[in-house]
Amino acid sequence: MPSKVERWKDETYGMEIREHLLRFAEEGWDAIPEDEHDAWFERFKWWGLYHQRKGQESYFMMRIGTPMGRMTPEQLRTVGEVARDYATGPVENPEFGDAYADFTTRQSIQLHWIKVEDIPDIWDELESVGLSTIQACGDSWRNIVGSPVAGRDADELVDVWPIVQELHEKFKGNDLYANLPRKWKVAMTGDRRGSGQGDINDLAFEPAIKELDGEEVEGFNVNVGGGLSRKEPRFARDIDVFCRPENAADVAAGMSSLFRDYGDRDDRFNARIKFLIDEWGPEKMRSVLQEEYMDYELPTAGQGLRDEYDYNAGRTDAHGDYIGVHDQSDGQNFVGLSVLVGRMSADDVIELADRAEAYGSEMIGLTQRQNLIVGDIADEDLDDFLDEDLLEEHSPDPHPFMRGSIACTGTEYCSLSIVETKNRMVRYGRWLRDNVDLPEGVNDFHIHLSGCTASCAQPQIADISLRGMKTRKDGDAVEAFDVGLGGGLGENPTFADWVKMRVPADEVPGYIANLLEAFEAERESPEQSFRDFVAERDEDELANLAESAETSYEDPYLGNTKLTWYPYAEDTSMDASPAPTDPNDQPLPSDD
């Protein structure tokens, strides 16, 4: 029996949803039948729209897909202008103000407080510069991830940007692949650092070399079935296939069709391809792909470059991100800027686009660590660019605690999250920077904070993983975190070991301080990474390394923010919510 979502999709899905959205925009929020909200909100995802959580009825999050995080300064400026003009809510955020853009761990952009009445105008502005919300969510091809500096990176095997453009054109808006059993996440990596993070994607093209017909060919090995959600993480598995660059679209079509035809449409919790490859195994996956979906003989896997991977790998000899100044293949430079928890004000977005354009940049990159890259900075302009005032806020050389902080949307807007995230991670980062000394030799330290088990902040692949929970403290219900240690990708990808359960949120900074003190005291040498230190210890040893503790850190969101209509309002009770609101209503005061 197909799930109810499949029944909704059978009635209306894909490209046709746009016409319904335009009708609802013209007629207003009340035109969406209340008894059909769940069905329409599920369909709207295909066009990049998520309805915000309880207490925020009539407001949507809008996601803009940017293939491989690649944009132009003009496109970035348009995003900032849309955020300024349309993504403003009834209450300001005390850390970030009123209008901002969120850069995600999948190289997309999210805007909040979007009203259905404004969607046509927003689409017009975005589409006028080549941006789109199509399939940014929903059961279809999501945004393709990889290195935003492909073709510019001085250290790459294959320039994958033309391939990603081909895949984007082929699979976005294509009825053959518009209705899949669940989301379909694809990573394309051509560099030597593993920046595509293919290990945690449904379909991954990993750089490889193979001798074919006496010739050494540069291309990709194909891995399938990675993912992090539902407390059931998987690394993508090798299906023993080598793919030439010119065949990538054919292999991607074959794998997408296989998932479309064989994925579980009865049980959405079992619908991701990671569960299908669990059931079949890599050998059967390859066999079905070959026999039913390919019209040429697939070569076996080639020699990969995994031993060179350093992206998000937790190594002491490489930063593992794009922050800082890097050489381009054309002799110019790209500069990676830290954007704390991936959120930037609309004014700063516009200013960065203007500054990038003034320095002759033709490329802005969004990274999977929620940061930004400005490409094409000439040597003679580099010092002036680095002296720009905007870079004091979004630094190319941030403190490691700020550099390594990632957070998802949280209870501010998300219906799934059970804790507040972004503002809390900002406060964690600042307190740790000001109060905790990192051990000698530690230049990177990744803390990923996720509001629930959906794992949008990718907590399982961080030095310290924080996963939102609830607990009781002094008789009161408070927000808390499960704590994991030692995750990361690279040559030998590892998921974090969950060692502490339900630590009250206000005791997490104290736990981290005590943990780092234990790490410094017990590690073998300054060259030993935190990840290697964790890997040497068993579960009991890790659990006993450190205890949580109250400190000078204060947490204003310790109560149950999920029960508020908005965590930062002066009156947070559901009864005080102004939603659903008239598009012309004035803002309410915040508790700032």
Side-chain angles (χ1 to χ4, degrees):
M1 176 71 68
S3 69
K4 64 180 180 180
V5 173
E6 287 299 320
R7 296 196 294 273
W8 294 337
K9 288 158 59 182
D10 284 344
E11 295 171 6
T12 305
Y13 208 58
M15 296 293 288
E16 62 183 322
I17 298 168
R18 185 178 176 113
E19 294 307 313
H20 292 280
L21 272 165
L22 292 173
R23 173 172 62 85
F24 292 137
E26 183 177 355
E27 298 176 7
W29 162 256
D30 290 335
I32 307 172
E34 188 170 352
D35 62 346
E36 298 178 16
H37 275 185
D38 288 348
W40 282 114
F41 295 164
E42 185 64 39
R43 294 170 182 141
F44 290 172
K45 293 176 185 178
W46 203 90
W47 276 98
L49 291 160
Y50 276 87
H51 186 248
Q52 292 180 187
R53 68 176 183 86
K54 184 179 180 180
Q56 299 171 11
E57 290 80 8
S58 78
Y59 292 107
F60 291 84
M61 179 272 282
M62 174 179 281
R63 184 179 294 158
I64 304 162
T66 57
M68 220 162 58
R70 188 82 152 252
M71 305 177 71
T72 66
E74 179 187 29
Q75 290 174 325
L76 183 68
R77 182 183 300 108
T78 298
V79 167
E81 291 169 350
V82 168
R84 178 196 63 199
D85 297 341
Y86 300 100
T88 57
V91 176
E92 288 193 2
N93 180 302
E95 295 289 348
F96 299 100
D98 193 24
Y100 40 78
D102 285 348
F103 306 117
T104 78
T105 54
R106 290 197 58 80
Q107 298 174 287
S108 295
I109 302 163
Q110 294 182 173
L111 306 178
H112 300 281
W113 300 120
I114 301 299
K115 305 175 185 69
V116 68
E117 294 87 354
D118 292 331
I119 288 170
D121 290 339
I122 295 173
W123 277 346
D124 285 346
E125 292 193 35
L126 295 175
E127 291 167 5
S128 72
V129 295
L131 293 172
S132 177
T133 66
I134 188 172
Q135 290 172 252
C137 319
D139 294 345
S140 62
W141 270 70
R142 297 292 187 91
N143 195 47
I144 304 166
V145 297
S147 168
V149 293
R152 285 172 166 81
D153 196 339
D155 186 24
E156 65 183 357
L157 182 73
V158 180
D159 175 7
V160 299
W161 177 233
I163 304 170
V164 169
Q165 290 177 293
E166 179 187 8
L167 297 182
H168 183 78
E169 291 298 319
K170 181 179 179 68
F171 295 106
K172 293 288 186 175
N174 186 329
D175 286 343
L176 290 174
Y177 312 99
N179 183 358
L180 300 178
R182 283 291 269 116
K183 64 187 74 171
W184 184 242
K185 296 181 175 181
V186 178
M188 175 74 66
T189 303
D191 60 38
R192 298 176 181 274
R193 67 185 77 195
S195 63
Q197 299 195 145
D199 292 310
I200 56 172
N201 281 265
D202 296 300
L203 174 63
F205 293 87
E206 302 283 351
I209 299 170
K210 185 174 178 65
E211 185 173 313
L212 295 173
D213 302 323
E215 176 188 0
E216 190 175 86
V217 178
E218 297 173 346
F220 311 96
N221 287 337
V222 180
N223 295 346
V224 174
L228 298 177
S229 63
R230 274 191 54 200
K231 290 189 178 181
E232 296 191 61
R234 304 283 192 282
F235 288 124
R237 278 149 279 185
D238 179 5
I239 63 168
D240 195 26
V241 169
F242 177 81
C243 173
R244 294 175 182 266
E246 60 268 26
N247 297 134
D250 293 333
V251 172
M255 280 305 312
S256 304
S257 299
L258 184 155
F259 178 52
R260 177 196 64 207
D261 298 342
Y262 287 100
D264 190 341
R265 292 183 184 267
D266 298 333
D267 180 1
R268 285 182 67 77
F269 289 103
N270 197 46
R272 297 294 294 275
I273 199 168
K274 65 183 179 181
F275 298 116
L276 184 60
I277 198 169
D278 281 353
E279 178 185 345
W280 282 8
E283 295 79 10
K284 181 176 179 180
M285 186 71 68
R286 187 192 200 283
S287 175
V288 173
L289 173 66
Q290 177 67 78
E291 294 172 9
E292 299 185 23
Y293 298 99
M294 303 304 299
D295 58 8
Y296 72 91
E297 190 70 24
L298 292 167
T300 57
Q303 178 63 46
L305 306 182
R306 183 171 290 276
D307 61 336
E308 299 182 49
Y309 284 8
D310 61 33
Y311 194 82
N312 202 27
R315 288 167 40 172
T316 57
D317 61 345
H319 272 300
D321 60 26
Y322 284 111
I323 299 295
V325 178
H326 304 264
D327 294 335
Q328 288 186 185
S329 55
D330 62 0
Q332 298 190 95
N333 307 276
F334 67 86
V335 182
L337 307 179
S338 175
V339 181
L340 185 58
V341 300
R343 180 167 286 180
M344 182 181 281
S345 73
D347 289 343
D348 282 359
V349 171
I350 295 167
E351 175 67 13
L352 181 61
D354 290 344
R355 293 294 82 214
E357 206 166 65
Y359 282 90
S361 174
E362 298 180 358
M363 190 280 293
I364 301 292
L366 317 181
T367 81
Q368 293 191 72
R369 296 202 54 78
Q370 299 183 319
N371 296 313
L372 291 183
I373 293 170
V374 179
D376 311 326
I377 305 298
D379 283 345
E380 59 268 24
D381 295 329
L382 185 59
D383 287 343
D384 288 341
F385 179 75
L386 295 176
D387 284 339
E388 290 285 344
D389 291 343
L390 188 62
L391 272 63
E392 293 181 13
E393 176 69 20
H394 306 293
S395 173
D397 186 25
H399 188 281
F401 282 129
M402 318 305 274
R403 180 179 193 142
S405 296
I406 283 180
C408 69
T409 299
T411 52
E412 183 177 8
Y413 303 113
C414 180
S415 62
L416 297 178
S417 181
I418 56 177
V419 298
E420 200 281 338
T421 55
K422 283 195 184 290
N423 287 27
R424 177 174 279 133
M425 189 67 246
V426 169
R427 296 173 69 90
Y428 280 176
R430 289 173 182 159
W431 188 90
L432 291 167
R433 176 197 62 194
D434 295 341
N435 293 277
V436 177
D437 293 328
L438 280 161
E440 181 185 350
V442 176
N443 298 311
D444 271 359
F445 199 75
H446 293 172
I447 305 174
H448 294 195
L449 189 156
S450 202
C452 69
T453 60
S455 300
C456 295
Q458 302 174 348
Q460 297 95 327
I461 55 170
D463 292 309
I464 294 183
S465 313
L466 302 176
R467 182 172 62 199
M469 289 289 160
K470 289 288 195 296
T471 194
R472 300 195 72 82
K473 181 175 180 177
D474 300 328
D476 297 322
V478 297
E479 297 190 347
F481 292 94
D482 290 345
V483 181
L485 303 178
L489 299 179
E491 181 177 4
N492 299 299
T494 307
F495 291 131
D497 291 316
W498 296 98
V499 301
K500 291 284 187 183
M501 300 294 122
R502 301 181 185 273
V503 176
D506 63 333
E507 298 179 21
V508 167
Y511 171 79
I512 295 173
N514 292 337
L515 177 70
L516 288 172
E517 185 176 335
F519 169 51
E520 184 170 34
E522 297 183 24
R523 65 176 173 167
E524 295 174 355
S525 71
E527 287 70 44
Q528 185 178 36
S529 70
F530 181 77
R531 186 175 166 193
D532 289 341
F533 173 83
V534 170
E536 287 184 347
R537 285 156 174 78
D538 63 27
E539 187 174 323
D540 289 339
E541 289 176 301
L542 294 175
N544 293 323
L545 268 177
E547 296 298 327
S548 61
E550 293 183 351
T551 62
S552 62
Y553 171 81
E554 296 181 357
D555 197 309
Y557 317 117
L558 194 58
N560 193 344
T561 59
K562 192 173 181 67
L563 297 182
T564 69
W565 80 268
Y566 188 62
Y568 324 119
E570 186 174 14
D571 184 347
T572 62
S573 66
M574 286 290 180
D575 290 341
S577 169
T581 61
D582 183 283
N584 298 312
D585 280 351
Q586 295 301 307
L588 298 175
S590 73
D591 65 351
D592 186 24

